[in-house]
Structures are given as structure tokens and as C-alpha cells.
Amino acid sequence: LFSLLQVLAISSTFKMHADGRMDTYHWWWGCQDFFHLGGGIVLLGAAMGVFCIVTWVVESVPSFAQDLFAKAGCPVSRQAGILGLLGARPLGMHIFGGYCFIDVPKAVGFFFILFLILGNKTLKIFHEIEWPVT
């Protein structure tokens, strides 16, 4: 959440500088803003990657348990009972008291929307800048 807000705040700062609401913007702040924008996107990518891996591992637990019990020679009736217990409640990450399943399509959709927002802000910045830049 912090990285997402970081990316959105930095892009808003660029827009405020472009439309003249922030007069005292120094060039070295631009270096800092680009660093934080890139760092925020990298951290968001890492977080979404970890969420995808955790979801994939959690979804593979029932089949892994079934294979493990079958190799151990466990009776089918016991395997069914254990698989019933594993399927009785959702397995996933607990975030804010609920279950969260982030898979690849959701992560791709998240980044698609994020890059649409960033692209929209970039186009607004280019529209606000008085050309030629002096």
C-alpha cells in the first residue's frame, strides 16, 4: 500500500510542478522523485510477485497432501477426510481479517490500471507544459 501511494504521490508532484502550483521545485528534487517513482514500481512488482507465489503454493497444498498420503499408503477414506478438512475453509493470505488471493491475472490487471493512471498523468503534464520549454 505504501509503494502504491508513493507512486501516485510522486506522479501528482510532477503534475503540480507542471501546472505551476508548486513554484519552488528544484532540479535535484526531480532526481529524488524519479528514484522514488522507480523504487515504488519495483517494490510493487516484488510484492505482487510474492503474492502470486504465495497464492500458487497455497492452492497446491491439497494436491500435495493427497500425493503425500497416497505415497505413504494411507487409506482412501482417511485421505478423503483430510481433503475435506483442507477444503472446508479457504486457504490464502490473511489481509485485514479477510482472505486475499492475488494471482497473475489480478497482478497484470493491477499494473495495467496503474500504468493507465501514470500514462494519463504524464499526458496531462505534457499538456500543461508551455512549449518550448525555456
Side-chain angles (χ1 to χ4, degrees):
L1 182 63
F2 173 77
S3 295
L4 175 63
L5 295 177
Q6 177 181 358
V7 168
L8 295 177
I10 295 299
S11 61
S12 296
T13 303
F14 285 146
K15 175 134 177 32
M16 286 172 54
H17 172 62
D19 64 11
R21 286 184 284 167
M22 187 187 321
D23 293 333
T24 59
Y25 192 83
H26 302 285
W27 68 269
W28 56 85
W29 292 357
C31 295
Q32 176 183 347
D33 287 344
F34 277 114
F35 172 78
H36 284 105
L37 182 67
I41 290 173
V42 167
L43 288 175
L44 280 173
M48 287 296 169
V50 168
F51 288 159
C52 289
I53 290 170
V54 168
T55 298
W56 173 67
V57 168
V58 166
E59 287 177 347
S60 67
V61 166
S63 63
F64 176 74
Q66 183 180 12
D67 293 342
L68 194 62
F69 286 123
K71 287 180 185 175
C74 185
V76 177
S77 61
R78 298 249 178 174
Q79 290 180 25
I82 292 171
L83 290 177
L85 289 173
L86 287 174
R89 55 180 268 216
L91 300 172
M93 296 174 284
H94 297 270
I95 297 178
F96 299 125
Y99 296 102
C100 181
F101 299 100
I102 303 291
D103 52 358
V104 174
K106 287 180 188 172
V108 169
F110 172 79
F111 278 107
F112 180 73
I113 297 295
L114 179 65
F115 286 128
L116 278 179
I117 292 170
L118 291 177
N120 185 27
K121 287 191 179 211
T122 303
L123 291 175
K124 285 181 180 179
I125 288 170
F126 284 142
H127 180 71
E128 295 288 333
I129 294 176
E130 294 181 15
W131 298 97
V133 178
T134 57

